[in-house]
């Protein structure tokens, strides 16, 4: 009972925290922030290896978009007073290692990693959109817009990956399954911790 | 509120049928309460007022009970009982609200009786309830202490909110972080001063296993509130570091305050100032360590590049 006594009040950054389903929004923003942070690190790892190759500019372009995504979630995190996941330092390293590791398998390996991750992320965004629509599409209009936009961006990255011969990567299906399993685990943990 | 009133009246009607007589008004006790009747006994005159109404179990109490006292004309759609100094009848108040009222009233008696059932009983008496109302709560005074802490936290939030409004309106200067933290912690700790004699007892009760989830929750949300109003916008691991550091500062200062006998707790505030200054220094030192580390790494990289290009040029020759 006392946990509920601590009431939410209008915070300084002008988002009305009263009337929103805080636990649900908390999870959504926390995991999305972690996801964009991880994606940033993955692209950073890929650039570290393939930065000077022919796919360098494309990876850089996708990385820039992820940077924008992260910036947006940083703002949302402050506005909704959501705590970041404790695992951020871990995603920092793991993301970079995944990016660099997949890039060491070659350009197609990096693209395969991109396809796997972006597919995971867009599925995940889709289920969040469904959740928010079920809750109250009007109350969460702004958040829904952001997530829809980002989902479209991630889908675009996924398609770019496919265009650049991701499927021709060594052990593509194994790689893809392993990476997507990792993403599922990351999502599960970041929502909660 | 209507639903609560309806539920309340149906519940009372049910209890009445079950118990067979109108002596006791029982409330449904939550499962974890001990096997007490959890009865809130009102004065007999109140009981007589309630009886005819409960038996009708209507949501809208439009009928006037026959032994209604003259001053209890209905105001608006519902009658309001003004039997106890103008307070609204309990029909329109949930159990939780009543408990809060009792606990708030009980705080007045804490300096004398400590965080005990006696204080709660005295508090209940001032509201016109029977001392058996204290039976609604645990005997160790947990709820009273948690209620007090929650109230203090709310007061602190309101204070910080007001200060922030003043700054936004340009009527006050924005404080530097260390001063803001010092002032916020001092303001919060000063709320303990009226109860300082009995506070060590409260602290030990808050550390009991069954209270830890609640007390930890209250502590973390208070610290989060302070950082939020201090303007913290970190979205990385700093979020945790800052809160951990401030929690440490708050807890140690609280303990120092328990032992402090200086006038107006000057020693405590000086201790607080030093701890906050230390914390700010750690931040700076951490940055310095990081930049030194980065410089070292760059130096090594440079050396590696030099060596490898020297090797290459030697190999080419």
């Amino acid at each position: 009972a006392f946990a509920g006594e601590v009431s939410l009040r209008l915070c300084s950054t002008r988002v009305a925290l009263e009337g929103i389903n805080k636990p649900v929004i908390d999870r959504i923003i926390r995991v999305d922030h972690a996801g964009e942070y991880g994606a940033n690190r993955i692209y950073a790892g890929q650039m570290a290896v393939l930065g000077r190759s022919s796919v360098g500019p494309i990876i850089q372009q996708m990385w820039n978009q992820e940077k924008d995504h992260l910036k947006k979630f940083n703002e949302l995190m402050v506005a909704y007073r959501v705590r970041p996941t404790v695992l951020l330092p871990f995603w920092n390293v793991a993301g970079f290692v995944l990016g660099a590791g997949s890039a060491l398998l070659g350009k197609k390996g990096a693209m395969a990693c991109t396809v796997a991750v972006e597919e995971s992320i867009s599925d995940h965004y889709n289920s969040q959109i469904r959740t928010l629509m079920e809750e109250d599409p009007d109350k969460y209009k702004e958040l829904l817009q952001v997530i829809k936009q980002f989902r479209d961006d991630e889908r675009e990255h996924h398609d770019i990956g496919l265009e650049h011969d991701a499927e021709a990567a060594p052990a593509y299906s194994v790689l893809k399954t392993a990476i997507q399993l990792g993403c599922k685990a990351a999502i599960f943990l970041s929502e909660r911790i | 509120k209507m639903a609560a009133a309806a539920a309340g009246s149906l519940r009372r009607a049910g209890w009445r049928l079950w118990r067979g007589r109108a002596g006791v008004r029982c409330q449904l006790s939550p499962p974890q309460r001990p096997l007490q009747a959890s009865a809130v006994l009102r004065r007999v005159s109140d009981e007589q007022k309630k009886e005819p109404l409960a038996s009708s179990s209507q949501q809208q109490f439009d009928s006037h009970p026959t032994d209604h006292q003259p001053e209890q004309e209905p105001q608006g759609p519902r009658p309001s009982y003004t039997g106890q100094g103008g307070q609204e009848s309990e029909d329109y108040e949930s159990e939780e609200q009543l408990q809060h009222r009792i606990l708030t009233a009980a705080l007045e008696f804490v300096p004398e009786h400590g965080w005990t059932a006696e204080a709660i009983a005295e508090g209940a008496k001032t509201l016109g309830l029977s001392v058996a109302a204290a039976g609604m709560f645990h005997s160790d005074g947990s709820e009273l202490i948690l209620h007090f802490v929650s109230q203090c936290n709310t007061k602190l939030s309101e204070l910080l909110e007001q200060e922030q409004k003043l700054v936004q309106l340009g009527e006050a200067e924005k404080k530097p972080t260390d001063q803001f933290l010092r002032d916020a912690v001092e303001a919060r700790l000063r709320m303990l001063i009226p109860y300082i004699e009995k506070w060590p007892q409260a602290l030990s009760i808050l550390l009991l296993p069954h209270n830890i989830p609640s007390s930890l929750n209250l502590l973390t949300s208070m610290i989060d509130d302070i950082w939020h109003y201090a303007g913290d916008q970190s979205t990385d691991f700093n979020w945790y570091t800052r809160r951990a550091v401030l929690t440490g500062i708050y807890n140690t200062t609280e303990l120092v305050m328990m032992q402090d006998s200086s006038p107006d707790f000057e020693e405590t505030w000086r201790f607080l100032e030093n701890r906050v200054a230390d914390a700010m220094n750690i931040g700076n030192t951490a940055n310095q360590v990081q930049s030194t580390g980065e410089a070292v790494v760059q130096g090594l990289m440079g050396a590696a590049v030099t060596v490898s290009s020297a090797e290459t040029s030697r190999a080419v020759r």
Side-chain angles (χ1 to χ4, degrees):
Chain A
F2 284 90
E5 277 188 36
V6 185
S7 62
L8 297 168
R9 51 197 69 244
L10 286 168
C11 79
S12 56
T13 43
R14 282 149 264 128
V15 166
L17 292 183
E18 271 120 33
I20 66 167
N21 188 340
K22 195 98 200 333
V24 166
I25 299 297
D26 257 18
R27 272 194 176 186
I28 287 180
I29 294 183
R30 178 161 47 250
V31 74
D32 288 349
H33 174 263
E36 296 300 344
Y37 182 80
N40 256 277
R41 297 302 295 153
I42 292 175
Y43 284 124
Q46 290 187 343
M47 279 304 282
V49 176
L50 292 172
R52 268 161 293 190
S53 71
S54 57
V55 294
I58 300 161
I59 299 180
Q60 180 67 50
Q61 187 196 336
M62 294 196 283
W63 188 11
N64 290 342
Q65 277 188 311
E66 300 294 355
K67 285 183 189 160
D68 285 337
H69 288 188
L70 182 61
K71 205 160 127 254
K72 184 65 186 169
F73 274 117
N74 280 338
E75 288 166 16
L76 287 175
M77 189 164 250
V78 173
Y80 283 91
R81 290 185 66 175
V82 176
R83 115 188 121 76
T85 166
V86 211
L87 299 169
L88 278 180
F90 184 69
W91 300 145
N92 186 348
V93 173
F96 193 88
V97 165
L98 176 61
S102 62
L104 286 171
L105 292 173
K107 297 178 205 164
K108 302 197 180 105
M111 289 300 150
C113 171
T114 301
V115 165
V117 171
E118 300 296 7
E119 191 178 302
S120 270
I121 290 192
S122 24
D123 284 344
H124 174 63
Y125 277 152
N126 274 332
S127 62
Q128 285 186 343
I129 291 169
R130 270 193 290 276
T131 308
L132 288 176
M133 295 290 269
E134 277 166 11
E135 284 274 326
D136 191 337
D138 295 308
K139 216 190 291 180
Y140 303 118
K141 204 162 72 149
E142 197 217 321
L143 192 54
L144 270 170
Q145 241 173 335
V146 168
I147 297 181
K148 281 183 188 163
Q149 173 64 48
F150 289 4
R151 184 225 24 215
D152 295 340
D153 290 343
E154 309 294 3
R155 266 250 91 89
E156 204 189 306
H157 293 179
H158 169 266
D159 296 340
I160 291 175
L162 285 177
E163 276 168 34
H164 284 83
D165 302 324
E167 283 161 331
Y172 173 68
S173 47
V174 175
L175 197 59
K176 185 166 173 232
T177 317
I179 292 176
Q180 291 194 325
L181 220 66
C183 285
K184 279 206 181 66
I187 289 172
F188 179 85
L189 289 172
S190 300
E191 272 180 344
R192 287 158 185 77
I193 320 181
Chain B
K1 257 208 160 188
M2 290 274 275
S9 75
L10 285 171
R11 215 193 300 153
R12 273 192 297 284
W15 274 110
R16 231 165 266 297
L17 291 169
W18 190 71
R19 300 208 57 128
R21 65 174 300 270
V24 166
R25 283 187 63 241
C26 291
Q27 307 234 348
L28 296 171
S29 32
Q32 67 260 40
R33 294 264 156 73
L35 273 174
Q36 301 159 346
S38 292
V40 178
L41 298 170
R42 288 187 175 258
R43 296 202 191 108
V44 176
S45 56
D46 281 351
E47 283 306 304
Q48 286 173 347
K49 281 178 216 158
K50 293 266 184 292
E51 251 190 70
L53 225 52
S55 57
S56 72
S57 60
Q58 277 173 9
Q59 211 160 325
Q60 292 282 91
F61 300 101
D62 9 319
S63 54
H64 298 256
T66 43
D67 58 339
H68 233 188
Q69 292 185 5
E71 75 255 24
Q72 292 175 14
E73 288 301 315
Q75 291 146 19
R78 305 180 197 166
S80 67
Y81 292 103
T82 53
Q84 280 152 187
Q87 285 171 357
E88 266 207 29
S89 104
E90 207 220 301
D91 288 339
Y92 305 98
E93 172 183 53
S94 68
E95 178 176 342
E96 210 180 309
Q97 283 175 319
L98 173 67
Q99 287 181 345
H100 286 199
R101 276 206 302 136
I102 295 177
L103 292 177
T104 308
L107 287 177
E108 195 190 318
F109 300 95
V110 165
E112 193 189 327
H113 295 281
W115 306 93
T116 57
E118 279 92 52
I120 301 178
E122 293 293 321
K125 269 206 304 205
T126 60
L127 294 180
L129 302 169
S130 154
V131 297
M136 273 201 283
F137 306 99
H138 273 121
S139 55
D140 59 5
S142 299
E143 285 106 332
L144 182 56
I145 302 172
L146 289 169
H147 173 81
F148 172 68
V149 171
S150 172
Q151 226 181 28
C152 288
N153 291 354
T154 309
K155 271 197 271 187
L156 179 68
S157 294
E158 282 164 5
L159 187 71
L160 295 176
E161 178 78 40
Q162 276 169 9
E163 268 183 29
Q164 187 185 63
K165 281 209 174 72
L166 290 179
V167 171
Q168 281 175 346
L169 292 173
E171 289 173 26
E173 284 290 308
K174 187 163 158 52
K175 294 184 203 172
T177 308
D178 59 347
Q179 194 186 344
F180 184 94
L181 297 178
R182 268 200 336 253
D183 290 346
V185 172
E186 183 180 330
R188 176 62 178 79
L189 287 175
R190 277 189 182 275
M191 298 181 197
L192 301 178
I193 293 181
Y195 309 92
I196 195 97
E197 304 272 308
K198 309 285 181 184
W199 193 244
Q201 174 198 4
L203 281 180
S204 60
I205 292 175
L206 284 177
L207 288 173
L208 292 174
H210 67 89
N211 285 330
I212 294 224
S214 311
S215 63
L216 211 53
N217 198 315
L218 285 168
L219 178 65
T220 52
S221 49
M222 186 238 320
I223 298 288
D224 182 47
D225 252 1
I226 296 181
W227 267 120
H228 168 74
Y229 286 107
D232 176 42
Q233 299 203 329
S234 43
T235 52
D236 53 6
F237 203 75
N238 270 327
W239 192 95
Y240 290 93
T241 324
R242 288 180 181 182
R243 278 151 185 75
V245 166
L246 187 58
T247 309
I249 294 177
Y250 180 85
N251 284 337
T252 46
T253 312
E254 194 180 21
L255 291 175
V256 163
M257 197 176 167
M258 300 296 108
Q259 322 277 22
D260 190 4
S261 51
S262 61
D264 195 38
F265 299 95
E266 311 173 328
E267 295 283 320
T268 306
W269 312 135
R270 203 166 332 159
F271 176 86
L272 175 61
E273 193 178 329
N274 290 336
R275 295 293 74 71
V276 171
D278 285 346
M280 298 288 124
N281 277 338
I282 296 175
N284 289 340
T285 316
N287 284 341
Q288 283 172 353
V289 166
Q290 190 177 6
S291 11
T292 311
E294 276 168 5
V296 167
V297 166
Q298 280 193 358
L300 289 173
M301 296 284 278
V305 166
T306 316
V307 166
S308 72
S309 54
E311 297 264 330
T312 329
S313 57
R314 202 181 308 143
V316 164
R317 253 187 274 129

